[in-house]
Amino acid sequence: MTSTSCFNISDENITIDGKGYTLTFGDASGTDQLDGIYSTKKNTTIKNLKILKGSAAGSSASRPGIFFNGPTSGTIENMTINSTYYGIYLLNGGNISTENVTIVNSSSYGIFLNASVNSSFTNVVVDGAMGDAIFLAGSSNENYILKNVTLVNTNSSARDLVIDGANGTSLIDMPYVGNYSFANPAIVV
């Protein structure tokens, strides 16, 4: 267990292949924002890994399993992310492809996107999100694609899906989405 982000990717064209291992992260103080994997660089690939927030980590900080802050391309695939605040948090980047990912027991959002244009999620399961399962935010022409995304055991006092200004969002082969909110979106279903 570490007291900082387990992986802080600071160079372009980096691949982390977990080969099925588990990455446990967190700190005992519960006050710092720590990430399982943090990247600001393009062409970051994270695959074949299980990410788990450590039991010593408090729940008061955001602690995403994966936080991409500004990369202009990347891949997240064949992952399980468990007991984090955000499962996946994408901010101010784009062209991020996420496939075959399961996010379990996030204490807030399963997936949170803000201004990450042309990002896609395919064959993703969000199970047991305590906050909104998926929150898509943006200003215009975000072009998010959600294909075969399953939301289960979500919090009945939160929403399964929020689309807030993320124009150009496509929902393809989506199983049941119960509680949702659309604010100024242009959606293709």
Side-chain angles (χ1 to χ4, degrees):
M1 191 173 313
T2 67
S3 62
T4 60
S5 299
C6 281
F7 288 98
N8 186 353
I9 298 171
S10 58
D11 211 350
E12 296 178 353
N13 305 309
I14 298 295
T15 297
I16 296 175
D17 185 347
K19 299 184 187 265
Y21 283 94
T22 298
L23 170 71
T24 303
F25 72 98
D27 88 341
S29 72
T31 59
D32 297 328
Q33 177 177 325
L34 307 172
D35 318 301
I37 299 174
Y38 178 82
S39 178
T40 60
K41 301 300 179 180
K42 70 179 180 179
N43 296 325
T44 298
T45 297
I46 314 297
K47 63 182 182 177
N48 305 319
L49 184 64
K50 297 173 186 170
I51 297 177
L52 174 66
K53 183 184 80 172
S55 60
S59 61
S60 63
S62 60
R63 291 189 169 78
I66 297 175
F67 183 11
F68 281 5
N69 186 0
T72 55
S73 60
T75 303
I76 302 167
E77 63 184 18
N78 302 322
M79 304 280 301
T80 299
I81 303 169
N82 196 337
S83 299
T84 59
Y85 187 82
Y86 299 105
I88 297 173
Y89 185 6
L90 305 180
L91 177 66
N92 297 326
N95 300 304
I96 308 297
S97 172
T98 303
E99 289 190 44
N100 303 317
V101 173
T102 300
I103 300 167
V104 182
N105 296 328
S106 58
S107 59
S108 186
Y109 303 102
I111 298 168
F112 189 94
L113 276 75
N114 189 356
S116 286
V117 299
N118 300 318
S119 293
S120 65
F121 290 81
T122 305
N123 299 325
V124 172
V125 175
V126 177
D127 184 353
M130 293 307 298
D132 299 330
I134 300 175
F135 194 103
L136 308 175
S139 54
S140 64
N141 302 318
E142 300 302 330
N143 296 319
Y144 299 140
I145 298 173
L146 279 69
K147 183 175 182 181
N148 195 29
V149 174
T150 303
L151 310 173
V152 295
N153 301 316
T154 56
N155 184 346
S156 62
S157 62
R159 295 161 296 188
D160 291 349
L161 175 63
V162 177
I163 300 176
D164 186 0
N167 294 329
T169 297
S170 298
L171 307 176
I172 303 167
D173 296 331
M174 292 283 292
Y176 173 79
V177 176
N179 188 5
Y180 56 87
S181 170
F182 300 140
N184 303 316
I187 300 173
V188 178
V189 180

